[in-house]
């Protein structure tokens, strides 16, 4: 990059300070401005700027004169992606408006994990009617409370809750702890002569923050009198300046922060602050977020120094293992110190941080230095781009392996291979990958973190041994530990994806493996503070498929239920070891466990373990005997109940299972033993009938449809109505648990989730009265003709358009229906459409629900192939936007492109 190009980039970044949407024009610059400021010819300026556009560093707007904009700075601030060129500045402004306000939160490390609860509390405070709710942020020094409030301010600006030029004032109360009068003066203002040094009238921060946000940090330093004045302001919105009796008004949102316990405040003050948000420290946020924070701060320092920073793996691992009492602030200071040391040692030629560059306090805190002995991997390079180079080449090895797995699937998907051949080839690839990783790492001296992971995994596998149908050997446990440390812990799979068809294939054909993984991963997550993504889960299933199964899927299942901390699991483990395979599973129940809890665990076991030939349940005493009566009400498989549990009895039953005996044979044999009570249940009754309701606008609408349907069916037929998420139905179909329990008669909703072999009825068909044949088809085997006619009559009565809109929204029904009617007429005229009654009904329902969602700030965020839709239907999108602008003005909302996509589907889809 030439010196001129670097200067232009500096100019571009300087222009992008204090970015606000209502002042967008002032962040662009043209070639005459470059010419004037940098003293170059206009031709030189134009060529250099256009080269930066081609290299993706500037954005070009083809107006007259041509304008330029700093691409990366602008994208990071407004959380969007820009093209290289645009025709109008307004195009960029429209893009900014369509970015959801929630994207502001994504700049925070842990926004969807450790900070998710705190951000949910923040939303509650922000959207509370009126002036929102005050919040109190509590947490240790350096956890980022001030940054949290800064993000809160940006969110309110982006969400339109505050104006773009709304003030944001900050006061650190600790700075004036020894002068409470001065602190009150800064806060409330004062008049001339109010106290010594008050030489003129002074406006306080409350007045300056009017229509904006005021943040009081270290608010525990505010004395009792100051707290009383503040809660008076919170109650009445009025205050007085010091030395004055005249009341002043201000509308200010308040945020407070403290490092102290809340008991030290006046209780009358605390009662006015209903939202208390705890910001966790770095140790509470887990290993993954600590790593991300280090990487972010190294990138930030690199940008400040304007040169790359090189960090050895040894340094990074030491920084990861250090406990920082000052949290994020101390981590940042540690990085600054280390960079300064590296620069001084290398006479400012490069920033390469080594062990010797760390502050002395690091060594004092980490006394067990044996964990620092050896470290593998390449140095990390931070260049301010927010992208980290991998520590080792193993990320490439994993990517290569997954690519091969996907390639084999694609050959199967195109018919080149059979599923039998695919499974065989997958098994070969998986085995080779596992062997290579274990072989390579057998010769490495691992750091303490990896040793801790390995030890933890050994404990987990020992506890789960003989509880699943797989035999875990030492190498598999070692491989599992290495995979977690090498890939999961370092986020190497976060950006990887798998074809939906591949994931579905694994789900359907490796169900036993999935059941075992579902037992294993929650334990790993709980003990190692990890979250596994879809790629990890799918790979774990394939890894597990290489292990030998202890028994065939078609065998009987046996479950031991007992009271006590580990009674059932101990007996199951002893029997399984003596029998040589996982014959028994176990559930340990506390003495006070309710019968419903026990029954639910048994039902879950039946679902997860593909119980088909039958289940033997061995129970010990007390309330467990009553489980027979409760389970037989809704279980559709044969179950043999045997009480008076003991190890010898379990071993005898296990031997009979291994001999392949049928459930009835085992029952007859056990009846010969005098002690136990034996009850064999053979299901005879049919499943309960059910209807599923759904809506792509969310579960709330599905619940309201459920209520309307219950009104129509009451007193005629006993039927279960199950509200279900639309996207869950579309992606995964009806859950196995629902299928096992119910006979699904139909799915009723606003859009067809396309569930195979399911009878779907559109809600608008019911509303439009064209439902008689569908109702007859649903209930023809269940009800008499006169009952079906009565249901149809009730549907026509209860599902009138006005009543449905009343149920689904809190809007003024008459007003919204009139507005939607006008919009439909315009759409038909401008798009040359003639909508059927059913489609018009669909529009009434969808638009009414949409307006309420937009008012509640819960618009639909996803639409399939949104970019392709936007490109291919520009004309229709423009018309829909213009037609619905009337709704935007009346209800003060903005209809996003995702919602327009669903409106387009109603208008045009078959």
């Amino acid at each position: 990059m030439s010196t001129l190009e670097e200067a232009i980039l500096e100019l571009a970044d300087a222009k992008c300070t204090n970015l606000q949407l209502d002042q967008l024009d002032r962040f662009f610059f043209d070639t005459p401005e470059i010419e004037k400021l940098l003293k170059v010819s206009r031709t030189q300026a134009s060529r250099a700027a256009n080269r930066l556009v081609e290299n993706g560093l500037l954005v070009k707007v083809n107006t007259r004169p041509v304008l330029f904009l700093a691409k990366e700075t602008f994208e990071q601030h407004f959380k969007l992606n820009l093209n290289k060129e645009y025709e109008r500045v307004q195009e960029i402004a429209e893009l900014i408006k369509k970015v959801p306000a929630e994207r502001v939160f994504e700049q925070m490390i842990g926004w969807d994990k450790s900070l998710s609860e705190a951000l949910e509390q923040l939303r509650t405070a922000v959207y509370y009617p009126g002036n929102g709710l005050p919040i109190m942020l509590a947490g240790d020094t350096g956890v980022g409370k001030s940054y949290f409030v800064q993000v809160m301010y940006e969110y309110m600006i982006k969400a339109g809750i505050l104006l773009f030029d709304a003030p944001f004032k900050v006061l650190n109360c600790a700075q004036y702890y020894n002068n409470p009068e001065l602190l009150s003066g800064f806060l409330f203002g004062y008049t001339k002569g109010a106290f010594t040094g008050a030489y003129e009238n002074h406006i306080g921060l409350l007045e300056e923050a009017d229509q904006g946000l005021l943040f009081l940090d270290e608010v525990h330093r505010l004395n009792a009198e100051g707290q009383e004045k503040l809660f008076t302001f919170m109650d009445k919105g009025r205050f007085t300046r010091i030395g004055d009796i005249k009341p002043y008004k201000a509308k200010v949102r308040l945020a407070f922060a403290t490092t102290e316990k809340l008991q030290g405040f006046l209780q009358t003050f605390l009662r006015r602050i209903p939202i208390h948000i705890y910001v966790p420290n770095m140790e509470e946020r887990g290993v993954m977020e600590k790593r991300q924070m280090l990487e972010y701060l190294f990138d930030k320092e690199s940008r400040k120094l304007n040169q790359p920073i090189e960090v050895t793996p040894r340094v990074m691992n030491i920084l990861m293992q250090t406990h920082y009492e000052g949290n994020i602030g101390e981590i940042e200071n540690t990085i600054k110190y280390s960079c300064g040391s590296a620069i001084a040692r290398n006479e400012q030629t490069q920033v390469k941080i080594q062990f010797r560059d760390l502050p002395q306090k690091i060594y004092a805190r980490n006394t067990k230095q044996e964990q620092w002995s050896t470290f593998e991997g390449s140095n990390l390079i931070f260049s301010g781009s927010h992208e980290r180079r991998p520590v080792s080449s193993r990320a490439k090895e994993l990517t290569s392996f997954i690519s091969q797995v996907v390639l084999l699937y694609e050959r199967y998907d195109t018919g080149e291979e059979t599923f039998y051949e695919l499974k065989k080839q997958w098994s070969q690839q998986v085995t080779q990958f596992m062997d290579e990783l274990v072989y390579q790492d057998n010769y490495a001296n691992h750091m303490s973190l990896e040793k801790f992971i390995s030890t933890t995994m050994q404990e987990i596998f020992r506890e789960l041994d003989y509880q699943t149908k797989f035999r875990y050997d030492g190498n598999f446990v070692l491989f599992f530990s290495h995979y977690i440390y090498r890939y999961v812990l370092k986020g190497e799979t976060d950006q990887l994806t798998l074809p939906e068809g591949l994931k579905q294939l694994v789900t359907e054909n490796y169900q036993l493996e999935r059941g075992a993984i579902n037992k294993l991963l929650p334990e790993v997550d709980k003990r190692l503070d990890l979250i596994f993504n879809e790629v990890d889960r799918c790979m774990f299933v394939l890894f597990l498929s290489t292990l030998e199964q202890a028994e065939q899927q078609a065998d009987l299942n046996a479950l031991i239920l007992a009271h006590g901390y580990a009674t059932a699991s101990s007996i199951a483990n002893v029997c399984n070891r003596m029998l040589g395979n996982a014959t028994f599973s176990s559930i340990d129940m506390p003495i006070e466990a309710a019968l419903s809890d026990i029954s639910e665990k048994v039902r879950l076991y039946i679902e997860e373990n593909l119980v088909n030939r039958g289940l033997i349940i061995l129970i010990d005493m007390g309330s467990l005997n009553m489980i027979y009566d409760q389970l037989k009400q809704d279980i559709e498989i044969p179950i043999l109940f045997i009480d008076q549990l003991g190890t010898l009895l379990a071993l005898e039953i296990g031997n009979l299972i291994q001999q392949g005996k049928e459930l009835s044979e085992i029952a007859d044999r056990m009846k010969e033993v005098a002690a136990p009570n034996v009850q064999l249940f053979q299901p005879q009754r049919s499943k309960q009938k059910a209807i599923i309701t759904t809506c792509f606008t969310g579960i709330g609408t599905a619940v309201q449809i459920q209520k309307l349907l219950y009104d129509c069916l009451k007193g005629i037929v006993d039927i279960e109505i199950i509200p279900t998420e639309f996207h869950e139905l579309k992606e995964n179909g009806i859950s196995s648990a629902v299928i096992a329990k119910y006979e699904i008669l139909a799915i009723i909703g606003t859009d067809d989730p396309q569930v195979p072999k399911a009878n779907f009825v559109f809600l608008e068909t019911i509303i439009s009265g064209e439902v008689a044949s569908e109702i007859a088809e649903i209930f023809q085997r269940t009800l008499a003709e006169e009952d079906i006619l009565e249901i149809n009559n009730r549907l026509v009565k209860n599902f009138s358009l006005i009543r449905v809109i009343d149920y689904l929204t809190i809007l003024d029904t008459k007003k919204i229906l009139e507005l939607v009617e006008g919009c439909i007429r315009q759409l038909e005229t401008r798009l040359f459409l003639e909508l059927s009654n059913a489609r018009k009904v669909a529009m009434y329902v969808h638009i009414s629900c949409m307006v309420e969602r937009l008012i509640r700030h819960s618009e639909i965020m996803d639409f399939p192939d949104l970019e392709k839709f936007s490109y291919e239907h520009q004309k229709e999108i423009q018309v829909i936007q213009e037609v619905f602008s009337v709704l935007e003005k009346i209800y003060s909302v903005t209809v996003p492109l995702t919602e327009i996509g669903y409106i387009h589907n109603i208008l045009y889809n078959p």
Side-chain angles (χ1 to χ4, degrees):
M1 185 184 300
S2 69
T3 305
L4 175 58
E5 290 172 1
E6 291 177 351
I8 292 174
L9 282 180
E10 288 182 11
L11 167 64
D13 286 335
K15 298 282 287 185
C16 287
T17 54
N18 300 319
L19 287 166
Q20 302 291 351
L21 184 58
D22 60 346
Q23 301 171 346
L24 199 61
D25 290 344
R26 72 183 182 88
F27 306 115
F28 292 85
F29 58 95
D30 54 21
T31 48
E33 189 171 354
I34 300 174
E35 177 187 9
K36 179 181 178 181
L37 293 175
L38 302 182
K39 310 300 182 186
V40 295
S41 70
R42 189 165 299 186
T43 302
Q44 287 176 304
S46 178
R47 287 177 179 173
N50 280 288
R51 281 197 298 270
L52 291 170
V53 172
E54 288 303 312
N55 292 329
L57 299 173
L58 291 182
V59 174
K60 180 179 180 180
V61 183
N62 293 312
T63 52
R64 291 191 178 182
V66 173
L67 299 177
F68 299 95
L69 175 71
K71 188 172 187 291
E72 182 180 359
T73 306
F74 201 84
E75 287 178 333
Q76 288 176 3
H77 182 84
F78 287 112
K79 310 299 180 295
L80 47 69
N81 294 317
L82 295 177
N83 297 328
K84 290 182 179 179
E85 296 188 35
Y86 291 90
E87 297 303 315
R88 297 179 300 119
V89 172
Q90 189 60 28
E91 293 178 48
I92 298 176
E94 291 300 322
L95 286 175
I96 296 171
K97 290 179 180 178
K98 291 176 182 177
V99 175
E102 272 65 20
R103 292 288 297 276
V104 171
F105 295 144
E106 294 179 18
Q107 64 187 292
M108 305 178 76
I109 293 171
W111 67 275
D112 57 343
K113 297 181 178 68
S114 68
L115 298 182
S116 60
E117 181 179 348
L119 291 175
E120 192 57 42
Q121 289 177 280
L122 173 64
R123 290 188 187 93
T124 301
V126 162
Y127 283 111
Y128 190 82
N131 199 37
L133 295 173
I135 65 169
M136 174 72 78
L137 293 166
D140 298 339
T141 299
V143 294
K145 298 185 291 295
S146 298
Y147 177 65
F148 194 95
V149 178
Q150 175 66 41
V151 172
M152 172 186 177
Y153 174 74
E154 292 178 16
Y155 176 75
M156 289 191 291
I157 294 289
K158 179 62 185 164
I161 295 168
L162 295 180
L163 297 175
F164 277 98
D165 58 351
F168 176 33
K169 301 297 179 181
V170 179
L171 177 64
N172 190 322
C173 300
Q175 295 176 350
Y176 307 98
Y177 175 57
N178 294 319
N179 194 335
E181 268 195 345
L182 185 59
L183 176 57
S184 291
F186 276 121
L187 187 55
F188 299 101
Y190 52 84
T191 60
K192 182 179 179 180
F195 52 83
T196 303
Y199 299 117
E200 58 185 13
N201 292 338
H202 181 79
I203 294 176
L205 287 176
L206 278 175
E207 288 178 79
E208 292 181 3
D210 188 27
Q211 305 301 320
L213 174 65
L214 173 61
F215 172 43
L216 299 186
D217 200 3
E218 303 290 348
V219 71
H220 55 274
R221 299 292 194 180
L222 189 64
N223 63 13
E225 184 182 353
Q227 292 180 39
E228 288 175 355
K229 288 182 178 179
L230 261 183
F231 74 64
T232 300
F233 169 73
M234 285 188 273
D235 284 344
K236 301 179 180 179
R238 295 194 299 268
F239 64 95
T240 56
R241 297 177 185 174
I242 297 177
D244 197 355
I245 59 172
K246 177 185 175 182
Y248 293 85
K249 286 186 178 182
K251 186 177 181 181
V252 181
R253 289 173 179 263
L254 295 170
F256 308 101
T258 181
T259 55
E260 302 295 314
K261 295 187 180 300
L262 299 183
Q263 290 86 338
F265 290 91
L266 293 177
Q267 292 305 304
T268 48
F269 175 65
L270 279 182
R271 282 202 299 271
R272 270 73 175 187
I273 311 172
I275 306 290
H276 296 173
I277 300 176
Y278 176 69
V279 183
N281 60 44
M282 281 312 303
E283 299 306 313
E284 293 170 324
R285 294 177 64 171
V287 177
M288 290 292 290
E289 291 184 19
K290 193 173 187 179
R291 174 87 183 201
Q292 291 172 340
M293 187 64 70
L294 282 164
E295 292 172 351
Y296 166 76
L297 292 174
F298 269 119
D299 269 320
K300 179 181 176 182
E301 190 67 14
S302 172
R303 289 193 299 277
K304 183 177 179 181
L305 297 173
N306 198 27
Q307 57 181 314
I309 298 173
E310 187 173 355
V311 181
T312 66
R314 189 182 197 195
V315 167
M316 180 56 82
N317 284 311
I318 291 171
L319 292 174
M320 282 282 293
Q321 295 167 47
T322 299
H323 171 70
Y324 300 94
E325 294 177 0
N327 293 288
I328 300 171
E330 186 178 351
I331 296 175
E332 188 165 17
N333 288 335
T334 300
I335 289 173
K336 288 180 181 295
Y337 178 96
S338 303
C339 290
S341 174
I343 292 171
R345 184 167 46 79
N346 291 286
E347 298 180 353
Q348 299 188 359
T349 57
Q350 66 180 108
V351 185
K352 181 179 180 180
I353 300 177
Q354 297 177 333
F355 183 72
R356 70 185 84 173
D357 297 314
L358 296 175
Q360 293 295 317
K361 60 185 178 182
I362 295 286
Y363 312 130
R365 290 180 186 173
N366 294 284
T367 55
K368 297 180 180 179
Q369 297 187 12
E370 64 270 12
Q371 64 189 18
W372 298 349
S373 55
T374 57
F375 300 90
E376 54 82 35
S378 308
N379 291 350
L380 293 92
I381 307 295
F382 298 95
S383 59
S385 63
H386 300 290
E387 294 181 1
R388 176 177 56 84
R389 297 185 184 181
V391 175
S392 72
S393 62
R394 288 199 172 89
K396 295 180 180 177
E397 294 171 3
L398 176 65
T399 303
S400 176
F401 161 67
I402 291 178
S403 297
Q404 189 62 32
V405 169
V406 172
L407 178 63
L408 291 172
Y409 162 75
E410 289 172 346
R411 291 172 59 183
Y412 158 78
D413 195 41
T414 55
E416 297 178 43
E417 304 279 4
T418 65
F419 182 65
Y420 172 79
E421 292 167 335
L422 173 65
K423 287 187 73 172
K424 183 177 179 182
Q425 292 171 347
W426 267 355
S427 180
Q428 292 171 350
Q429 289 292 327
V430 169
T431 302
Q432 180 180 347
F433 176 71
M434 293 170 65
D435 288 347
E436 287 177 356
L437 186 59
V438 172
Y439 176 78
Q440 290 169 2
D441 282 331
N442 269 339
Y443 298 96
N445 292 316
H446 307 304
M447 63 174 247
S448 59
L449 179 58
E450 186 170 8
K451 289 179 179 176
F452 174 74
I453 291 173
S454 181
T455 302
T456 303
M457 293 309 303
Q458 289 171 14
E459 292 173 358
I460 293 173
F461 277 109
R462 270 199 300 270
E463 292 169 10
L464 295 179
D465 196 17
Y466 291 102
Q467 290 189 36
T468 68
K469 300 180 184 300
F470 297 94
R471 280 293 151 267
Y472 306 110
D473 56 32
N475 273 349
F476 184 82
V477 178
L478 194 59
F479 163 77
F480 213 93
S481 305
H482 291 338
Y483 184 96
I484 288 174
Y485 174 69
R486 294 289 182 258
Y487 305 127
V488 178
L489 192 64
K490 298 177 182 178
E492 301 292 2
T493 59
D494 288 348
Q495 304 303 319
L496 301 179
T497 58
L498 295 173
E500 290 299 322
L502 188 153
K503 291 187 288 187
Q504 186 66 26
L505 193 69
V506 170
T507 299
E508 293 173 354
N509 293 279
Y510 293 88
Q511 296 191 40
L512 285 178
E513 289 83 356
R514 276 200 311 118
I517 288 298
N518 288 341
K519 284 186 176 180
L520 176 65
L521 294 191
E523 284 297 315
V524 180
D525 184 12
K526 183 170 64 177
R527 302 192 200 186
L528 296 179
D529 190 26
L530 294 173
I531 295 179
F532 299 96
N533 58 37
E534 284 189 333
V535 174
D536 295 324
R537 288 178 173 274
C538 199
M539 291 302 104
F540 289 151
V541 168
L542 293 181
F543 299 149
L544 204 60
S545 70
T546 63
L547 296 183
E548 180 183 353
Q549 293 188 21
E551 62 170 317
Q552 297 301 312
Q553 180 178 338
D555 287 341
L556 291 172
N557 289 67
L559 178 64
I560 295 176
L561 282 171
H563 292 100
Y565 175 71
T567 306
S569 55
S570 297
I571 294 174
N573 274 329
V574 169
C575 292
N576 288 340
R577 291 179 188 279
M578 295 182 70
L579 293 167
N581 61 33
T583 301
F584 291 99
S585 296
S586 60
I587 297 177
D588 296 305
M589 301 300 300
I591 297 294
E592 67 276 9
L595 188 60
S596 58
D597 296 332
I598 302 172
S599 301
E600 186 57 36
K601 285 186 177 292
V602 174
R603 291 189 188 96
L604 187 62
Y605 171 85
I606 291 170
E607 292 171 12
E608 289 184 346
N609 289 272
L610 304 176
V611 178
N612 47 22
R613 282 184 56 197
L615 173 66
I616 300 173
I617 298 181
L618 282 75
I619 56 183
D620 61 349
M621 62 175 183
S623 63
L624 290 180
N625 283 308
M626 295 184 289
I627 195 173
Y628 168 80
D629 293 320
Q630 180 151 344
L631 278 176
K632 69 180 183 180
Q633 300 300 318
D634 50 10
I635 296 297
E636 303 299 326
I637 60 165
I639 301 180
L640 174 61
F641 296 85
I642 303 174
D643 69 2
Q644 298 187 24
L645 166 66
T647 304
L648 290 177
L649 181 66
L651 282 173
E652 185 171 353
I653 292 170
N655 279 319
L656 293 173
I657 292 173
Q658 290 190 342
Q659 293 170 25
K661 301 295 184 182
E662 294 291 336
L663 205 61
S664 56
E665 293 181 80
I666 297 175
D668 292 340
R669 185 75 62 89
M670 288 299 101
K671 287 176 182 177
E672 297 173 5
V673 181
N677 176 29
V678 178
Q679 300 183 68
L680 177 60
F681 167 66
Q682 296 284 3
Q684 295 178 349
R685 68 179 186 85
S686 60
K687 298 179 183 178
Q688 183 179 0
K689 293 176 172 56
I691 291 174
I692 290 175
T693 60
T694 190
C695 178
F696 60 71
T697 63
I699 192 68
T701 305
V703 170
Q704 298 291 37
I705 299 171
Q706 174 201 40
K707 293 176 181 177
L708 280 168
L709 284 174
Y710 272 135
D711 287 345
C712 297
L713 302 178
K714 186 177 180 181
I716 299 178
V717 60
D718 181 19
I719 194 167
E720 191 73 21
I721 302 175
I722 308 168
T724 307
E725 284 283 359
F726 176 81
H727 296 293
E728 179 70 21
L729 272 178
K730 191 171 182 67
E731 292 176 11
N732 303 319
I734 303 170
S735 74
S736 57
V738 172
I739 291 173
K741 189 173 181 179
Y742 300 104
E743 178 189 347
I744 305 300
L745 299 181
I747 300 174
I748 297 177
T750 56
D751 196 14
D752 189 353
Q754 298 177 337
V755 177
K757 300 180 181 179
N759 180 18
F760 179 77
V761 178
F762 280 99
L763 177 63
E764 56 263 31
T765 305
I766 299 177
I767 296 173
S768 62
E770 303 170 4
V771 74
S773 60
E774 284 86 352
I775 294 300
E777 184 177 342
I778 292 173
F779 294 108
Q780 62 182 346
R781 291 183 300 162
T782 307
L783 299 175
E785 187 175 341
E786 57 270 21
D787 290 330
I788 295 175
L789 182 60
E790 175 60 22
I791 290 174
N792 188 63
N793 292 335
R794 290 186 185 182
L795 287 172
V796 172
K797 177 184 176 183
N798 289 348
F799 276 77
S800 67
L801 186 57
I802 292 177
R803 176 156 185 183
V804 169
I805 300 302
D806 272 338
Y807 253 88
L808 301 187
T809 75
I810 59 172
L811 303 174
D812 180 333
T813 307
K814 183 179 179 182
K815 180 179 179 180
I816 188 65
L817 288 178
E818 288 176 354
L819 290 170
V820 176
E821 181 182 13
C823 291
I824 291 174
R825 285 205 199 99
Q826 286 192 56
L827 289 172
E828 286 184 310
T829 301
R830 297 183 61 177
L831 295 175
F832 306 102
L833 295 172
E834 187 173 345
L835 300 178
S836 65
N837 287 340
R839 285 189 188 271
K840 287 180 181 179
V841 168
M843 287 290 288
Y844 279 114
V845 174
H846 178 78
I847 301 306
S848 302
C849 293
M850 179 192 75
V851 171
E852 176 162 311
R853 284 197 307 276
L854 296 178
I855 292 172
R856 295 175 181 269
H857 303 280
S858 58
E859 63 268 26
I860 297 175
M861 306 300 296
D862 298 316
F863 184 82
D865 296 324
L866 184 62
E867 189 173 338
K868 179 181 178 184
F869 166 74
S870 176
Y871 177 77
E872 293 180 350
H873 302 285
Q874 295 180 32
K875 176 188 173 184
E876 293 92 339
I877 290 171
Q878 183 178 353
V879 171
I880 294 171
Q881 286 175 328
E882 292 172 357
V883 167
F884 285 102
S885 62
V886 63
L887 293 178
E888 292 181 326
K889 291 176 183 177
I890 291 173
Y891 292 103
S892 300
V893 297
T894 300
V895 181
L897 185 59
T898 48
E899 295 279 8
I900 290 173
Y902 285 104
I903 294 170
H904 184 276
N905 281 356
I906 296 173
L907 295 175
Y908 289 99
N909 279 9

